[in-house]
Amino acid sequence: FSPLSASSTKIFRPPTKISFKEENETLDKTARDKKAGAGVATLPLGNLLLFDPNEQGKFQGTNFLELRTSAGAAFVPPPPPAATIIAEIPPADAIVEDTEHFLEHLDVDGNLPLNFAKPQAPATATVLGRAKLITDDAPGDIEHVVLRLPEGFHYVEGQSLSVIPPGTDPKTGRNHKPRLYSIASTRYGDLLDGSTISLCVRRAEYYDPVTGIVDPAKKGVCSNFLCDVKAGDVVSVAGPVGKTMLLPKDPTKDVIMIATGTGIAPFRGFMHRLFMENTLARHMFGGTAWLVLGVPVSGG
C-alpha cells in the first residue's frame, strides 16, 4: 500500500458524549441564571436609571443628548449661556450679611494645607486658655485647650495636629515622639480670626487595680502636659496632616458622625462650620447632620 498524501489525509474523531445527568444539570443552570437575571435586562431599556449621560456624563445637564438624538447629523451645539455678572453693589431689596470668607481658599480644587511644620522642626504655639469640659461626677479629666498658631499655619476641618511634649524620654534619652490630636475647631478658630486652634484632650492616667490610686509613673506624657498648661505657655506643634476625614464637597450630602468621649473633637469643628459660623458653607449646607455621642454619664 502506498502512503496517503497530506492533502488526502482525513482524521475522524468520535462525537463527544454528554450524559443525561450532565445535560439536565446544564439546562437547570441555564434556567437558574435566567431566573436570577443573568443575560436578561432587569431594567426596561431606555429609562436611564443605571446611567444618565446628560446628568452624569460629559453633557452635564445641557440636554445635548436629546438634541443630538432628534437632530441627527444636523445637530449644532447651542451657544453658551451669557456670563454671570456679579454686581459690585447689591440690589436695594437684597439681604446682605457679613460672612467669614478669607480662609475658604484653603481647600479649593482639592488642595489642602499640609505640613506647615514637621516634627523634626516644629513650630511654636502659645496657649491662650484652657478649661475643663466635664463635670466632677464624670470619670477622668477632659480639657479644652486653645492655642495661638504662628502666622501662616492654617488647617481645615477634620485634620490633625501633632504636639511634641517637652523634655526627653527616659528610656531613650531622646526628645519625646509627637502625639497626634484631632483638631476641634474650624479653620477660623474659636476666636474667628484664623490664627487659633482648639484641642479636646483627655488626661491619660493609670489606676492601680489593687489600691485604686493613680500611678504617676504610668501617666500619659503629652496629655498630662496639655491638661496642665496655663495661658502664656508655649507648645511645640507640627502639621497639619489629614486628607480623608473631611466634610463632603457636595453640600447636599448627609453627614453621620459617631464618637465616644474625646472622639467628638473633629465633629465639633464640623458642627461649628455647618451650623454656628456665618460662612458660605453654613448657608449652602442642605443635608442632614447626625451626631451620635457615647459618654458614661451626662456630665461627660
Side-chain angles (χ1 to χ4, degrees), residues 75-227:
F75 171 75
V76 177
T84 301
I85 299 176
I86 300 177
E88 294 292 337
I89 301 177
D93 57 345
I95 299 176
V96 181
E97 296 183 2
D98 290 330
T99 61
E100 299 287 349
H101 191 71
F102 61 95
L103 293 179
E104 296 302 305
H105 66 280
L106 291 178
D107 53 355
V108 172
D109 298 329
N111 297 319
L112 293 171
L114 295 169
N115 295 314
F116 174 86
K118 298 289 187 68
Q120 298 81 359
T124 300
T126 304
V127 177
L128 296 184
R130 173 178 58 85
K132 187 174 182 177
L133 290 175
I134 58 177
T135 57
D136 293 337
D137 64 325
D141 179 21
I142 299 178
E143 300 284 334
H144 183 77
V145 182
V146 182
L147 306 173
R148 172 81 69 188
L149 295 171
E151 185 177 355
F153 195 129
H154 296 298
Y155 59 91
V156 297
E157 302 74 24
Q159 290 189 303
S160 299
L161 179 79
S162 290
V163 176
I164 300 92
T168 57
D169 188 336
K171 295 181 180 180
T172 64
R174 299 179 180 178
N175 293 336
H176 287 291
K177 294 182 179 180
R179 271 70 166 180
L180 206 60
Y181 291 91
S182 295
I183 298 172
S185 52
T186 71
R187 66 191 68 189
Y188 296 103
D190 288 356
L191 302 186
L192 299 180
D193 63 357
S195 68
T196 67
I197 194 170
S198 297
L199 303 177
C200 182
V201 184
R202 171 179 285 279
R203 187 188 299 273
E205 296 176 314
Y206 174 79
Y207 287 83
D208 188 287
V210 177
T211 64
I213 301 174
V214 176
D215 185 351
K218 298 180 180 179
K219 67 179 181 180
V221 175
C222 195
S223 65
N224 277 266
F225 163 67
L226 289 174
C227 288

Side-chain angles (χ1 to χ4, degrees), residues 99-101 104 157 187-188 247 251 270 272-275 277-286:
T99 61
E100 299 287 349
H101 191 71
E104 296 302 305
E157 302 74 24
R187 66 191 68 189
Y188 296 103
L247 283 170
F270 287 0
H272 275 227
R273 182 155 177 84
L274 296 178
F275 301 107
E277 296 177 353
N278 197 17
T279 61
L280 183 63
R282 172 191 170 190
H283 290 285
M284 293 294 292
F285 181 61

